[in-house]
């Protein structure tokens, strides 16, 4: 079984891609809504929460874990891999597949938007430097929470377009390096200058999962959340309404 981990509803954008490529593979998803948002947490806090989340998934039978959270991937998973000089076959994170997608497109003028924790980690900046590219980065510190809290569309539009405005003309590609952000991709489209490409890493991450997972099964989706949320339930129904799924609130 595949395990997918995020602070809340953001990882659903990654699961959507995984499920479309592997519709018969059972997935256990953990959204840690009680401790969200992760993007304003320290690396120490993210370390504890990520280990707890991964353990919850593996204790219940997940054999391949997807860190569908950039804040956890950039602060914990990648530094741990780099520090130990290992690439575990059974953990997929967000940064590597994103960098891979741009390895042949170094001349792009990239603006990467993410949480504060992801930008502060410096992992994306270093990784793009490593492939001979450069990026501008912009933290959108309140956006993931605003999305979870169903903030009105005009308020989200103002939040995004005001933050992006000073960068207009300086980028041709916008990377959504927070898995919550594709939930408002339409708003991003309205906020960027014409011709700017918006890149969601989810598809590349899902392809990485396909390359690593060797199971089959019922295709059942089991969602665990540490706090109940109407927004989460609505997004699951929207994305996976035609699939067999359950949602349980766990401690
Ligand atoms: N979706 C997560 C990310 O990609 C976490 C966002 C948050 O909880 O702040 O970083």
């Amino acid at each position: 079984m595949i395990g997918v981990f995020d602070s809340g509803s953001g990882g659903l954008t990654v699961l959507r891609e995984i499920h479309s490529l592997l519709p018969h593979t059972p997935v256990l998803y953990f959204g840690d809504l009680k401790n969200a948002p992760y993007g304003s947490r320290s690396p120490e806090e993210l370390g504890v929460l990520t280990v707890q989340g991964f353990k919850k998934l593996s204790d219940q039978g997940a054999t391949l874990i997807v860190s569908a959270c950039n804040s956890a991937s950039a602060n914990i998973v990648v530094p741990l891999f780099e520090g130990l000089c290992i690439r575990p076959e059974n953990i997929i994170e967000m940064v590597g597949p994103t960098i891979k997608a741009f390895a042949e497109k170094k001349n792009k003028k990239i603006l990467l938007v993410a949480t504060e924790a992801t930008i502060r980690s410096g992992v994306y900046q270093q990784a793009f430097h490593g492939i001979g590219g450069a990026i501008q980065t912009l933290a959108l510190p309140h956006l993931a929470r605003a999305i979870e809290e169903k903030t009105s569309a005009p308020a989200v539009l103002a939040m995004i377009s005001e933050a992006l405005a000073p960068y207009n003309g300086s980028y041709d590609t916008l990377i959504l390096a927070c898995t919550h952000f594709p939930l408002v991709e339409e708003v991003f489209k309205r906020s960027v200058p014409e011709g700017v490409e918006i890149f969601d890493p989810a598809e590349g991450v899902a392809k990485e999962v396909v390359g690593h997972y060797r199971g089959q099964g019922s295709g059942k989706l089991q969602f665990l959340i540490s706090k109940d949320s109407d927004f989460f339930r609505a997004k699951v129904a929207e994305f996976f309404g035609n699939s067999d799924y359950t949602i349980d609130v766990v401690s």
Side-chain angles (χ1 to χ4, degrees):
M1 180 163 63
I2 294 174
V4 177
F5 172 67
D6 183 44
S7 65
S9 310
L12 298 176
T13 62
V14 179
L15 177 56
R16 179 172 53 180
E17 297 297 329
I18 296 172
H19 189 60
S20 82
L21 295 180
L22 296 171
H24 304 298
T25 299
V27 178
L28 178 65
Y29 182 105
F30 177 51
D32 191 12
L33 283 158
K34 190 177 72 180
N35 295 300
Y38 275 15
S40 50
R41 291 195 173 270
S42 68
E44 291 73 22
E45 290 172 319
L46 287 171
V48 173
L49 296 171
T50 304
V51 169
Q52 280 172 1
F54 281 17
K55 188 164 174 340
K56 196 178 282 293
L57 292 168
S58 62
D59 280 354
Q60 301 205 30
T63 51
L64 175 74
I65 292 182
V66 183
S67 169
C69 172
N70 284 272
S71 305
S73 299
N75 280 274
I76 306 304
V77 184
V78 173
L80 195 67
F81 288 3
E82 300 294 319
L84 299 175
C85 297
I86 51 162
R87 285 266 148 206
E89 284 290 300
N90 59 347
I91 299 181
I92 308 285
E93 50 76 39
M94 299 299 297
V95 182
T98 307
I99 302 301
K100 209 189 228 180
F102 284 90
E104 305 302 322
K105 297 191 255 177
K106 289 175 211 146
N107 296 331
K108 292 279 181 199
K109 289 193 248 159
I110 294 169
L111 176 61
L112 180 141
V113 285
T115 65
E116 258 179 312
T118 297
I119 304 291
R120 188 194 53 220
S121 75
V123 162
Y124 275 106
Q125 296 90 319
Q126 281 169 28
F128 271 97
H129 186 69
I131 60 164
I135 52 168
Q136 299 188 84
T137 58
L138 171 65
L140 298 174
H142 309 297
L143 186 55
R145 182 193 284 265
I147 292 168
E148 290 286 2
E149 290 179 352
K150 294 191 281 183
T151 302
S152 73
V156 170
L157 178 63
M159 189 184 281
I160 294 174
S161 50
E162 279 165 26
L164 289 178
Y167 295 85
N168 283 355
S170 71
Y171 66 99
D172 57 29
T173 306
L174 183 74
I175 299 182
L176 305 183
C178 170
T179 54
H180 278 72
F181 296 176
L183 293 170
V184 291
E185 188 164 351
E186 287 309 312
V187 183
F188 276 100
K189 281 189 187 146
R190 289 169 57 196
S191 305
V192 298
E194 222 182 297
V196 167
E197 185 203 343
I198 297 182
F199 181 78
D200 173 3
E203 195 186 325
V205 173
K207 285 187 181 149
E208 203 72 30
V209 171
V210 172
H212 284 77
Y213 192 70
R214 299 274 166 268
Q216 273 293 347
S218 60
K220 175 148 195 217
L221 305 174
Q222 274 176 272
F223 296 94
L224 308 179
I225 40 180
S226 55
K227 192 175 111 189
D228 210 350
S229 153
D230 290 346
F231 180 76
F232 185 90
R233 288 178 183 273
K235 282 289 149 196
V236 169
E238 180 187 330
F239 291 169
F240 310 108
N242 294 329
S243 304
D244 178 18
Y245 73 81
T246 55
I247 302 179
D248 290 295
V249 181
V250 295
S251 54

